[in-house]
Amino acid sequence: MNEVNQTRVTAFILLGLNNDPHLQIPLFVLFLLVYIMTVLGNVGMMVLIRMSPHLHTPMYYLLSHLSFLDVSCSSTVTPTLLMTFASKRSSISVLGCATQLFIFMGLGSTEVFILTMMAYDRYIAICKPLMYTAIMNHSVCVYIVVGAYLVALVHALLQTTCTFRLKFCRSNEIIHFFCELPPLLKLSCSNTSLNDALLVFVAGGFMVSSLVIIFTSYIFIVAAILRIHSSDGQRRAFSTCSSHFVCVTLFFGNLLFIYGRPSSNHSMDKDRVAAAFYTMFIPMLNPFIYSLRNQQVKQAMRKAIGKLCVARWIFHGKAHVAIFP
């Protein structure tokens, strides 16, 4: 019997988000629509930033990478969720699970760094406007983004390697809709103290240091805004930061809820709902938050729509002339 219990797991079964058979089709349709909106919104934001010369600034350069990370994260997770709704459960190989965990953790860690640097960018723009172009030039932005991706990939590789060195022999059923770290550790029959330490000190250290930088930046930003005598100037300064602050609150709030609690306090049902929110709903909401609360993005959208309408009118006009010379 002991030998049977120690059989190595070769594949995992993802149990999905909800086991109620009456909700499978409605949830499938809901999350498919959420995914479509996420792709359209984030790809549209990247194209808009690329096409609009007045958005070629460090802030929007970082925002374009945030959109890329959001659509990539959602594309990593959503297909497995949709499969669990279609078949009630989904099988994934150990290698596939490791790959999904690595990509997910790499994208999530990079997003932490990008959001942090966006806060620093706003701090420089508002508190040190005369030095902004010297500090946040294109080369610095490229180095920041490349460094964020490299550090995040090293972190993801470390977490994934240390996770899949463990033996999984208790069960192969993951009470989740994708290969997430906490439910994987619960399946291990090995000593997970090293993994817990990495999760607390490395991943937790990244989050805490990022939050310290973000909130320190916002303390200086608010202090600088309050020194502005014009109410219109204060409103414009707040509007450039409010979108980012909302995104930070949503993103870090969910991460702290899942990773900031002791493993003994984890509830898989609550964790699955929180994971669905930050892997699918937040990526869908981010482009809308930035487009609805940012005048420059609104202006770029109006110009882009105007160009499309003009191009469509010219095309139809030429087609009409060709048909009826």
Side-chain angles (χ1 to χ4, degrees), residues 132-164:
Y132 182 75
T133 55
I135 296 175
M136 295 298 294
N137 56 57
H138 180 71
S139 298
V140 170
C141 290
V142 172
Y143 289 140
I144 287 172
V145 170
V146 171
Y149 279 102
L150 289 177
V151 173
L153 289 177
V154 170
H155 173 239
L157 182 62
L158 177 64
Q159 294 282 6
T160 305
T161 302
C162 290
T163 299
F164 283 89

Side-chain angles (χ1 to χ4, degrees), residues 55 185 297:
L55 296 183
L185 296 181
V297 174

Side-chain angles (χ1 to χ4, degrees), residues 58-221:
M59 175 183 175
Y60 295 103
Y61 177 74
L62 295 173
L63 178 58
S64 66
H65 281 276
L66 180 65
S67 294
F68 169 75
L69 293 168
D70 280 339
V71 73
S72 299
C73 179
S74 184
S75 298
T76 302
V77 171
T78 306
T80 56
L81 174 62
L82 295 178
M83 283 192 291
T84 60
F85 287 136
S87 60
K88 297 183 180 179
R89 54 177 58 194
S90 177
S91 176
I92 185 170
S93 67
V94 172
L95 178 60
C97 188
T99 303
Q100 187 181 55
L101 178 65
F102 171 74
I103 295 173
F104 172 75
M105 295 208 71
L107 294 171
S109 301
T110 308
E111 187 156 349
V112 169
F113 292 128
I114 295 295
L115 286 170
T116 304
M117 294 316 302
M118 290 176 75
Y120 178 72
D121 171 80
R122 292 298 84 203
Y123 159 73
I124 298 297
I126 293 174
C127 299
K128 300 182 179 181
L130 298 179
M131 301 175 62
Y132 182 75
T133 55
I135 296 175
M136 295 298 294
N137 56 57
H138 180 71
S139 298
V140 170
C141 290
V142 172
Y143 289 140
I144 287 172
V145 170
V146 171
Y149 279 102
L150 289 177
V151 173
L153 289 177
V154 170
H155 173 239
L157 182 62
L158 177 64
Q159 294 282 6
T160 305
T161 302
C162 290
T163 299
F164 283 89
R165 70 172 178 81
L166 302 172
K167 292 181 179 179
F168 299 97
C169 49
R170 289 178 180 167
S171 172
N172 69 335
E173 293 187 342
I174 300 177
I175 309 176
H176 216 294
F177 56 87
F178 71 103
C179 290
E180 172 71 305
L181 201 52
L184 275 171
L185 296 181
K186 285 183 176 291
L187 298 183
S188 174
C189 52
S190 304
N191 185 355
T192 61
S193 56
L194 175 60
N195 303 81
D196 294 333
L198 285 174
L199 199 57
V200 172
F201 293 108
V202 179
F206 282 152
M207 280 195 289
V208 170
S209 59
S210 296
L211 284 172
V212 168
I213 294 172
I214 290 170
F215 284 109
T216 302
S217 298
Y218 272 102
I219 288 172
F220 285 106
I221 287 170

Side-chain angles (χ1 to χ4, degrees), residues 257-284:
F257 176 79
I258 293 178
Y259 296 106
R261 295 175 296 152
S263 57
S264 58
N265 292 339
H266 275 274
S267 167
M268 286 296 104
D269 290 335
K270 293 180 180 178
D271 284 0
R272 283 188 287 180
V273 173
F277 190 73
Y278 84 82
T279 58
M280 282 168 279
F281 285 100
I282 291 179
M284 179 192 69

